[in-house]
Amino acid sequence: MKVFTKTTCISVTIATMMTACGTDTTVNSANKAEKVQIINATNGEKIRNEKILEQERNKDRRRLEEGILVYGQGIKGDYSTKSIQEATYKESNKNFGIVTAKIQVKNIRKDKNPYDLSEFKYFVRDSKTGDTFKGEAIPSSLEEFENLPSNSTIKYDIVFKVKKKDNLNDNYLYVDSDIEPSSRISWHLDDLTKR
């Protein structure tokens, strides 16, 4: 009887240990499967983010190849650097609105002469309709605007009267000059904020 009791105790102990080990393995397997799913989800998100970044880079590259700049980007000519800092839209009546763009120009002439910015021509073109609207410079200092000293920078507004429409994101601003032609370069006036 002693042997039978001893054998039964040992059997129960071994069975309990095997059951515990088997359950633990199942739990561990489930945890491992969850971890694999989490890792795969994280890797999938990382891959999606990388694809989005690559698409944005390609979009930027294509835009630059087409000569289209965004706010803050500039062009450098022989006499000046120019960049559009921002633009806003304000409704003026039921048919027209006013686009105001802030431009920054720096005189980089090598001969150190002042630069007359009054010869710049400004226009906004609607890429969908082909409509073109001339702009007018509104400098805070006419003297500095007409005689910008060498290595000096000026910021001023350019105002355009444009046709009122729902989608304002089709407008491109051009700055041209007889001295520094740049009619192929434009700034995309996206995200025009309505005031």
Side-chain angles (χ1 to χ4, degrees):
M1 186 79 163
K2 271 184 162 183
V3 174
F4 177 74
T5 307
K6 226 181 202 185
T7 307
T8 306
C9 286
I10 291 173
S11 299
V12 170
T13 306
I14 291 174
T16 306
M17 289 175 68
M18 299 225 8
T19 304
C21 289
T23 305
D24 192 41
T25 304
T26 306
V27 171
N28 282 341
S29 296
N31 286 342
K32 286 179 186 177
E34 286 177 21
K35 287 179 184 178
V36 168
Q37 287 177 349
I38 290 171
I39 289 170
N40 286 340
T42 305
N43 287 342
E45 186 69 26
K46 185 178 177 182
I47 290 169
R48 272 193 298 278
N49 288 340
E50 288 173 358
K51 285 182 181 178
I52 290 170
L53 284 173
E54 185 63 28
Q55 288 172 347
E56 287 295 319
R57 281 189 219 113
N58 288 338
K59 182 179 174 184
D60 289 345
R61 193 175 309 117
R62 277 192 309 273
R63 188 178 40 74
L64 288 174
E65 287 170 357
E66 294 172 6
I68 300 171
L69 305 175
V70 294
Y71 300 127
Q73 291 181 328
I75 59 172
K76 181 179 178 181
D78 292 333
Y79 295 145
S80 68
T81 59
K82 298 177 266 311
S83 69
I84 302 299
Q85 302 301 306
E86 64 181 357
T88 57
Y89 174 81
K90 181 180 179 184
E91 291 181 1
S92 63
N93 63 35
K94 66 178 183 173
N95 296 324
F96 289 94
I98 303 294
V99 171
T100 305
K102 184 166 291 302
I103 186 171
Q104 178 176 305
V105 180
K106 181 176 182 179
N107 178 352
I108 59 168
R109 290 180 67 152
K110 292 180 180 154
D111 61 8
K112 306 292 184 199
N113 288 330
Y115 193 21
D116 183 2
L117 305 181
S118 63
E119 63 97 19
F120 284 174
K121 298 173 198 90
Y122 314 94
F123 59 97
V124 166
R125 181 174 293 139
D126 185 318
S127 65
K128 296 289 185 201
T129 65
D131 292 337
T132 301
F133 309 96
K134 288 186 178 183
E136 180 182 342
I138 312 291
S140 57
S141 167
L142 190 58
E143 173 64 31
E144 188 178 26
F145 181 73
E146 292 177 344
N147 289 306
L148 185 63
S150 181
N151 288 323
S152 293
T153 302
I154 186 173
K155 287 183 182 179
Y156 57 94
D157 290 339
I158 312 164
V159 179
F160 304 88
K161 186 176 181 180
V162 299
K163 284 184 184 174
K164 185 177 173 183
K165 61 181 197 163
D166 292 331
N167 184 3
L168 296 169
N169 288 325
D170 300 327
N171 292 316
Y172 293 83
L173 187 151
Y174 296 81
V175 179
D176 204 4
S177 153
D178 292 333
I179 297 173
E180 287 186 302
S182 59
S183 60
R184 292 187 349 250
I185 307 295
S186 65
W187 282 268
H188 184 202
L189 300 181
D190 61 345
D191 299 328
L192 282 174
T193 55
K194 293 184 180 182
R195 291 193 263 168

